[in-house]
Amino acid sequence: MEQQTAGDLLRRAGLRSTTQRRAVLAALQGHPHSTAAEIEARAGIGRGSASGLSRQGLYNVLEDLTRAELIRCIEPAGSPARYELRVGDNHHHLVCRVCGRIEDVDCTVGRAPCLDPVESKGFTVDEAEITWWGVCADCRGSA
Ligand SMILES: [Zn+2]
Ligand SMILES: [Zn+2]
Ligand SMILES: [Zn+2]
């Protein structure tokens, strides 16, 4: 992502365009489903770096960007939170039980909730979180 584009995205979302926020957006470009540690390593942020963003500072940036819906956070069971730039399409995920690989799967409906519960029990339902678990082709091949 161009720095310019990241800055535009931030401003359009009503967020101040800071170096750290732009660095986090850039670090996610081409690397969907990254953990905070991966983002930290890729963006060259963290202790001792020029930007001086602490791990807590990184989490604050991730929280701000997630709340502004510029990035999406998914938390597959047994995995640290993962972040991606693909937002607003209600896509779902395939997760490999062996290596943890995560693949995007389009939602046939494209907006939440794409699946209605049999009974809503009085809830106003706004999302169905769908994750398919299995074994990816690579892991199946090496088994
Ligand atoms: Zn696998
Ligand atoms: Zn995804
Ligand atoms: Zn769906």
Side-chain angles (χ1 to χ4, degrees), residues 78-125:
S79 158
R82 289 167 180 276
Y83 299 88
E84 62 183 335
L85 291 172
R86 191 174 163 183
V87 294
D89 64 355
N90 195 51
H91 74 272
H92 307 304
H93 296 98
L94 277 163
V95 184
C96 176
R97 289 188 191 281
V98 180
C99 68
R101 173 172 161 190
I102 300 174
E103 291 289 338
D104 284 338
V105 182
D106 287 348
C107 176
T108 49
V109 177
R111 66 189 137 70
C114 58
L115 195 67
D116 291 319
V118 175
E119 289 182 85
S120 65
K121 309 273 185 182
F123 283 49
T124 302
V125 173

Side-chain angles (χ1 to χ4, degrees), residues 29-62:
Q29 186 69 25
H31 298 277
H33 317 128
S34 295
T35 63
E38 288 166 348
I39 293 166
E40 187 174 42
R42 206 174 294 131
I45 48 189
R47 259 192 313 275
S49 71
S51 73
L53 185 65
S54 64
R55 177 56 74 89
Q56 186 54 48
L58 172 61
Y59 279 115
N60 292 343
V61 169
L62 289 169

Side-chain angles (χ1 to χ4, degrees), residues 8-84:
D8 288 347
L9 275 176
L10 287 162
R11 278 186 291 270
R12 224 174 297 142
L15 293 179
R16 213 151 42 84
S17 173
T18 64
T19 311
Q20 287 96 344
R21 286 172 178 161
R22 288 196 305 272
V24 169
L25 288 172
L28 280 169
Q29 186 69 25
H31 298 277
H33 317 128
S34 295
T35 63
E38 288 166 348
I39 293 166
E40 187 174 42
R42 206 174 294 131
I45 48 189
R47 259 192 313 275
S49 71
S51 73
L53 185 65
S54 64
R55 177 56 74 89
Q56 186 54 48
L58 172 61
Y59 279 115
N60 292 343
V61 169
L62 289 169
E63 200 180 306
D64 291 344
L65 295 177
T66 303
R67 204 174 316 114
E69 294 178 5
L70 288 176
I71 62 174
R72 178 172 163 189
C73 175
I74 60 164
E75 297 175 87
S79 158
R82 289 167 180 276
Y83 299 88
E84 62 183 335

